[in-house]
Amino acid sequence: MNELPDTIRTIVESAYGLGIADAFMIAVPLAILGVIAIAFIKNKPLSTKTAAEELREQAEESVIEIAEAEVAASLNTTGAIRIDGTQPSTGSVSVIEREDQERGR
């Protein structure tokens, strides 16, 4: 800047000064809007578990649910079939007859 002629140096300094002033005039209202927006953000506490720990816990719960379902299915399934609307003594499989079959069609 020292090597520039005085007229050009004055123009360059003025351009830089006006540019910086315009940048601050735009940045200040945006910063105020940002602070106001931050004030209305809902506070959510940070998690104490990592993502890997959360996934491991979900996988363990899924395995437990599947194991419980398999145990319940093995206890309830004996192969008994309900045909005429009476409740079989054991089993979970049932056959439902259609009305047109009952009428002899």
Side-chain angles (χ1 to χ4, degrees), residues 49-88:
K49 296 180 184 177
T50 64
E53 290 172 340
E54 289 285 335
L55 288 174
R56 185 179 319 116
E57 188 175 292
Q58 290 175 356
E60 289 173 356
E61 290 173 4
S62 297
V63 168
I64 291 171
E65 289 175 4
I66 291 171
E68 289 173 351
E70 288 177 351
V71 168
S74 67
L75 293 175
N76 291 334
T77 305
T78 60
I81 300 175
R82 183 177 75 194
I83 296 175
D84 59 353
T86 60
Q87 185 71 18

Side-chain angles (χ1 to χ4, degrees), residues 89-101:
S89 59
T90 59
S92 62
V93 178
S94 63
V95 177
I96 301 172
E97 295 182 7
R98 293 176 43 183
E99 289 180 14
D100 56 352
Q101 289 177 343

